[in-house]
Amino acid sequence: MTMAYQVKSERAEEFIDHSEILDTLSYAEQHKNDRALIEEILNKASQCKGLTHREAAVLIDCDEPDLVQRIFDLAKEIKQRFYGNRIVMFAPLYLSNYCVNGCTYCPYKLQNKTIARKKLSQEEIEQEVIALQDMGHKRLALEAGEHPTLAPIEYILDSIKTIYSIKHKNGAIRRVNVNIAATTVENYRKLKDAGIGTYILFQETYHKENYEKLHPTGPKSDYAYHTEAMDRAMEGGIDDVGLGVLFGLNTYKYDYVGLLMHAEHLESRFGVGPHTISVPRICPADDIETTDFPNSISDEIFKKIVAVTRIAVPYTGIIVSTRESEKSRKEVLEIGVSQISGGSKTSVGGYAESTPDSENSSQFDISDQRTLDEIVNWLLELGHVPSFCTACYRMGRTGDRFMSLIKSGQIVNCCAPNSLITLKEYLMDYASEDTKQKAIKMIEQEVDKIPNAKVKEIALRNLQDIAQGKRDFRF
Ligand code: SF4
Ligand code: SF4
C-alpha cells in the first residue's frame, strides 16, 4: 500500500511522508535561486504568518549571496518584532546516563563501555540544583538516558519534585523542561501533573531508513513510536512541546523539510505548533568523531537554518546550546535564536563537583565554556537583554493561549518587563561587579522603551521592590 501525505494523520509515515519530502526537495532544486519566487516568498514571510515547508525549502536551497543576505535581514527583523532583544537563559541538568538504546552517535549508548555511568540520587540532585541556583539559573532542561529500571518515570517525577522544592538563599528553579525518551500518554500526563514546562524530544533524523540504521537497538529504534511521541504528549495534556533534529546525522535539507512538516502537523492536528525548535548539530564526544558524519553542516548552513526557521515558524522559540562556539552563537543570536544555555555541564553531577569522573560522563563536548556570568556580561555588551523569565507557564499561558499571544505580537508586553525584572534579580543576587554595572544601564535604557504606561509603572515599582529584597514578580 502506498502512503500519501496527510498532515493531520496520526501516523508518522503519513504526516512525515517520504515522497512529499523528496518532491519538496526536487521542487526546491528546480527553483534554486529563482529570484521572482524567492521575492514572493520573502514578501509573504514579512507578514509574519510563517511559510510552508515547500517555501522554506526554496529558501534553504538558495545560495545567491544577496538573496541569502535578504533572508538574514528579514529573520533579524522578525526576531526583533516578536522577541525584541531579549534572550532567555537556561541550563541542562543531566540526571542519569544509563541508557538501553544504541544510538550510534551518542556516547551514552548501551554498547559504550568506556564512559563512566552515573545516576544522581535525590540528595545529589539537591546539590546540583543548589549549584545551579547559586549561578543564577531559574530554568532547567532535565536530561536522562532511557532506562526502564534505573531511570523509570517515577525517578524523573521524584527528581522534578526535588528540584522545585529547593529554595536556597534567594534561588529557585521556576521552570523545569524535560527531555526524556518517548513514552506513553499516561506518563506524559504524569509529567504534566508534575508541573513541567516544555517536553522536548529531538527527532534526530526524519529519514526513516537512516533513522533505523542510526538506532539499531533499544526501544528508540521504533521510528513510528518516536516520531508520534509529540502527539501522545499532546494527548496527555502537555501543550508546550519542543522539536529538534540533530543536524549532521542525515542530509540537512531532508531533515529540515521533515522538521517543518512535523511543526505543520502539530499545528494542524492540535492547533498548537512547537513551543520551541532546537538546532543542535553533531559535535565530538567520548567515542564520537565528527569525521564519522559526512553530513555534518558548515557554519554558513547552520546560520541559514536558524534564519529560515525564524522566518518560517515565527512564533517558535529557537534554542542553541553550548555545543556552539561563542562566535557561532553571536551570529545566530542576531538572526533568530531566543534561548541559550549558559555555564552548562553536560555530565552527570557536573555542577556540584567537576571531577574527571563527572567529565567522563558527558554527552557531548562543550564549545562555549564560559561561566553564566561571563555569558550574561557578553550578551549585555552585544545589546541583548539576558532574561531569566519563566512567567508564561506559571501564569497559565501555555499551548494555544500562548500561541495566540505570540502570534498577535502581544507577548512582548509580558516578555519585555519580565526580562528586566528577572535581570534585576540576577544582578542583585549573583552578578559580578562589571556585569552588574552593565545590567543597571541596560535596565534603565530598556524600561523607558516599554510603550504601555501602566505596564511601565508596575515594572518600575517591581524593580524598586527587588532592590528592597523582594523577589518573583511577573507579568
Ligand atoms: Fe540514550 Fe538518548 Fe544517547 Fe540515544 S541519544 S543513547 S537514547 S541518551
Ligand atoms: Fe518566555 Fe513568556 Fe517570559 Fe516571554 S513572558 S520570556 S514568552 S516565559
Side-chain angles (χ1 to χ4, degrees), residues 86 88 139 389-392 397 402 411 414-415 418:
R86 70 175 176 87
V88 170
R139 177 187 285 248
C389 178
T390 55
C392 276
R397 293 192 297 259
F402 173 81
I411 196 75
C414 303
C415 297
N418 284 338

Side-chain angles (χ1 to χ4, degrees), residues 75 82 158 167 179 192 204 238 274 294 332 339 360 367 374 401:
F82 277 86
D158 285 349
K167 303 279 181 283
N179 180 357
K192 172 74 184 171
E204 320 298 9
I238 298 177
V332 292
Q339 272 191 48
N360 184 31
S367 271
E374 284 165 342
R401 278 209 271 169

